[in-house]
Amino acid sequence: MIERILPAEAVAEESTGSPPAVAGDFLHPEEAAVVARAVPKRKEEFAAVRACARRALGRLGFPPVPLVPNRRGAPQWPAGVVGSMTHCDGYRAAVVARSGALASVGIDAEPNGPLPDGVLDVVSLPGERARIRSLTALRPDVHWDRLLFSAKESVFKTWYPLTGQELDFEEAELDVDPGAGTFSARLLVPGPVVGGVHLDGFTGRWAVGGGFVLTAIALPAAVPAQAVVPAQAVTPAPGPVPAPAPGPRGGPPAGGPAAPVSGSAASPA
């Protein structure tokens, strides 16, 4: 499913259903140490998404290597590779590309169901919530709040390898095109530098199928002229007072509902 919303330069592998109970047996020692104290389900998902990543890397000609998360939870890819992983209950995927083709890539998968109560107010801006209401009236078969959250996760996963910095949910404003299957993210902080220019946002694609919402951003290594603005034109937008922070990024607010929203780049994938 995920390949439908990715360019030809990206290599993707995915799996559905429950991960095999023996998935953890195929972890490298460095990876096994990361989840040594995790519950079995967490270990299985951690291993299963890495199995997807190693298959994808193999298609690029890379040997199996440990894929250990850094302090922020983002997987550390081999030199010359950019990539992204995602997993939620019943679905996991990994995408990789050569760094000469793509500067960064971010993917996210979510169940096509509503966000837990209270989460939307934390992860969205007022204008985004208004657009979600309009989209819901237009196409109630899609849970647009969940799609917005997924797209923001893909934005973060694209942003972080380029900057090494955090990006709050309120620091990117999204607009979703329900007909074209695309979305755009306008950065409300100075964007990353790619090819000597600052980006003021990202564009991505989305799809719904099999009970899941999928989003993806694939940023070309050579950014098209229409996608960039001169560095001096980018100025920080005054931000609103921060909303209460979620627990782990991709989870409900601290003290809020316990229902998870995703396994994301923010917790070791």
Side-chain angles (χ1 to χ4, degrees):
M1 291 187 289
I2 196 76
E3 285 187 329
R4 290 186 295 155
I5 56 174
L6 288 164
E9 297 88 344
V11 175
E13 289 285 343
E14 62 188 355
S15 65
T16 58
S18 299
V22 297
D25 296 343
F26 301 98
L27 287 174
H28 288 256
E30 303 95 318
E31 296 168 334
V34 174
V35 289
R37 299 184 179 181
V39 299
K41 181 175 175 59
R42 166 65 179 148
K43 291 181 180 179
E44 292 163 5
E45 290 288 355
F46 183 91
V49 75
R50 276 159 176 76
C52 291
R54 280 190 262 276
R55 290 198 303 271
L57 285 169
R59 289 170 56 190
L60 280 184
F62 286 83
V65 294
L67 298 170
V68 180
N70 66 10
R71 64 172 183 83
R72 189 57 180 82
Q76 300 179 80
W77 300 98
V81 172
V82 296
S84 183
M85 299 182 193
T86 186
H87 59 85
C88 63
D89 193 17
Y91 182 87
R92 57 214 65 86
V95 56
V96 296
R98 296 188 182 276
S99 56
L102 297 180
S104 188
V105 60
I107 63 171
D108 188 70
E110 301 287 333
N112 185 21
L115 286 173
D117 291 343
V119 174
L120 181 61
D121 289 340
V122 174
V123 304
S124 65
L125 297 164
E128 293 171 329
R129 292 193 287 275
R131 289 191 286 274
I132 284 172
R133 289 192 291 271
S134 298
L135 289 168
T136 300
L138 180 68
R139 281 193 59 184
D141 57 307
V142 177
H143 289 275
W144 298 100
D145 57 343
R146 186 74 71 158
L147 193 150
L148 175 79
F149 173 82
S150 178
K152 288 206 172 187
E153 284 288 282
S154 288
V155 168
F156 177 79
K157 293 178 182 181
T158 305
W159 157 280
Y160 185 77
L162 297 171
T163 66
Q165 298 176 358
E166 303 296 319
L167 183 72
D168 290 340
F169 287 108
E170 295 175 326
E171 292 179 330
E173 184 170 15
L174 268 67
D175 194 12
V176 179
D177 187 324
T182 60
F183 64 89
S184 60
R186 181 171 65 93
L187 294 169
L188 305 181
V189 293
V193 176
V194 174
V197 294
H198 279 110
L199 303 186
D200 63 352
F202 303 123
T203 59
R205 300 181 65 194
W206 63 270
V208 175
F212 302 102
V213 170
L214 306 175
T215 59
I217 297 171
L219 182 65
V223 181
Q226 66 268 25
V228 303
V229 295
Q232 63 269 25
V234 180
T235 57
V241 176
R249 183 184 174 93
V261 287
S262 150
S264 76
S267 55

